[in-house]
Amino acid sequence: MSGAFLENTMLGMTWEEIEAAAKAEAVVFLPVGVVEAHGPHLPLGTDIYCALNQALEIKKQWERKGIPCVIAPPFYWGGTQAMTRQFPGTFTASLESIVAEMTDILQSLDRFGFLKAVLFNAHGDGLQKNAMIKVITECNAKLKMQTYWPVYEDDITMEGFTGKEDFLALIPPFAFERAFQIEQFPRDEFDIHAGAFETAMMLEIMPELVRTEKLEELKPTFLIGEQRRLWNEGEPENKYLIPGGYVGDPAGSKYVKSDMATVYKEYADGLAKFFGF
């Protein structure tokens, strides 16, 4: 992904092009993330880069099929309640602030004349997710434009949904083994933040931003049992649990090869089928 990636969003378009896209009933892709510490080896914008890469890859696939779509400017100012909020560089907004700003964004897109929007969220924090679902639910009830939250069909329950939510964009299951080629699996399955897998993803999409020289010196940070609850609560006195600002095994990324391009190709097909394209 080029450093000039924002030119491929609405930021590189004119108002006339936006108007034409809305008249063509283009679907809006809205990447959402947060500015958050991702260890000594990954940039603060990792979640934003991942969400935007997803939108860009799916946009490419849709354009090949002649399906109109545009990418809204990424939403950076999400929320973090987990332990990384205790590290310099992690900006976190309150639920109320996120809801207010995101509501303004969706209302703007609705005013432009768009009818459908899809959120691509790469930040798994509970505060972030709760805020986004609240925004979608409230805005879908009052706006003509409807906003959707994509979810794999086999992850509905795990994601905390019943499957009856009308804002879910259901995507056919995709095998984890196809997303990553794993020579050696990390010793802890709770490799969830800037560990082997997220580091491998960044090495695929933006390798120039990964501080590869630091990887070998980073020891695994494994959390078990009660430690995982403390990680989620994010109180300052428990910062010692993740001294490097990551959870997992960043150095283990040398045994993992990410293949997000293949993932998003099939994701694009599933999303297109959901919308009836």
Side-chain angles (χ1 to χ4, degrees):
M1 182 164 58
S2 165
F5 56 85
L6 287 178
E7 69 188 20
N8 294 309
T9 73
M10 287 183 176
L11 297 177
M13 300 172 68
T14 68
W15 73 264
E16 292 178 317
E17 292 167 339
I18 296 294
E19 182 178 64
K23 288 181 178 179
E25 298 188 3
V27 178
V28 179
F29 297 159
L30 176 53
V32 296
V34 71
V35 182
E36 177 188 28
H38 277 76
H41 60 297
L42 295 182
L44 299 175
T46 291
D47 291 347
I48 300 164
Y49 294 131
C50 288
L52 182 52
N53 178 67
Q54 181 179 9
L56 288 168
E57 289 297 319
I58 294 174
K59 183 173 184 285
K60 291 178 186 176
Q61 297 297 326
W62 275 28
E63 287 178 339
R64 292 190 182 112
K65 298 175 181 290
I67 304 173
C69 58
V70 293
I71 302 177
F75 176 75
Y76 297 172
W77 306 115
T80 298
Q81 65 184 15
M83 194 65 67
T84 47
R85 69 178 176 172
Q86 304 301 340
F87 287 77
T90 299
F91 291 79
T92 184
S94 66
L95 184 143
E96 293 76 16
S97 295
I98 299 169
V99 170
E101 185 62 29
M102 282 293 296
T103 296
D104 288 341
I105 291 170
L106 295 184
Q107 287 177 338
S108 295
L109 293 170
D110 179 75
R111 189 175 68 253
F112 301 161
F114 290 103
L115 299 176
K116 295 184 180 70
V118 180
L119 261 61
F120 292 132
N121 174 52
H123 180 53
D125 194 278
L127 171 60
Q128 173 93 342
K129 183 176 179 180
N130 291 339
M132 295 301 166
I133 297 303
K134 180 176 174 61
V135 168
I136 291 173
T137 303
E138 293 179 354
C139 285
N140 281 0
K142 62 184 179 182
L143 300 179
K144 185 175 182 180
M145 184 185 76
Q146 297 296 286
T147 302
Y148 296 86
W149 181 276
V151 62
Y152 286 112
E153 293 172 344
D154 55 344
D155 286 344
I156 292 173
T157 302
M158 185 187 71
E159 293 286 346
F161 300 117
T162 65
K164 297 180 180 179
E165 294 85 355
D166 58 7
F167 57 78
L168 295 182
L170 301 180
I171 311 296
F174 187 92
F176 176 83
E177 293 78 11
R178 296 180 61 196
F180 297 96
Q181 298 174 18
I182 305 170
E183 180 182 339
Q184 179 178 312
F185 207 91
R187 287 188 290 125
D188 184 5
E189 63 181 16
F190 201 65
D191 188 284
I192 63 165
H193 185 75
F197 295 106
E198 195 165 24
T199 301
M201 289 174 62
M202 282 296 287
L203 284 168
E204 177 190 0
I205 67 173
M206 297 198 81
E208 69 274 17
L209 294 183
V210 180
R211 279 63 167 179
T212 53
E213 73 280 0
K214 293 183 177 290
L215 289 177
E216 287 302 325
E217 67 187 48
L218 299 179
K219 297 180 179 179
T221 297
F222 296 143
L223 302 181
I224 59 174
E226 178 73 1
Q227 293 176 334
R228 297 182 183 182
R229 181 183 66 80
L230 297 176
W231 145 263
N232 284 319
E233 291 181 352
E235 297 302 330
E237 63 268 22
N238 297 314
K239 184 180 176 182
Y240 71 93
L241 290 171
I242 56 166
Y246 57 89
V247 181
D249 183 13
S253 59
K254 65 184 176 183
Y255 301 115
V256 178
K257 184 177 181 181
S258 170
D259 188 9
M260 291 297 105
T262 297
V263 173
Y264 295 144
K265 182 181 185 303
E266 295 199 18
Y267 200 105
D269 292 340
L271 196 59
K273 182 178 180 180
F274 173 80
F275 284 118
F277 295 123

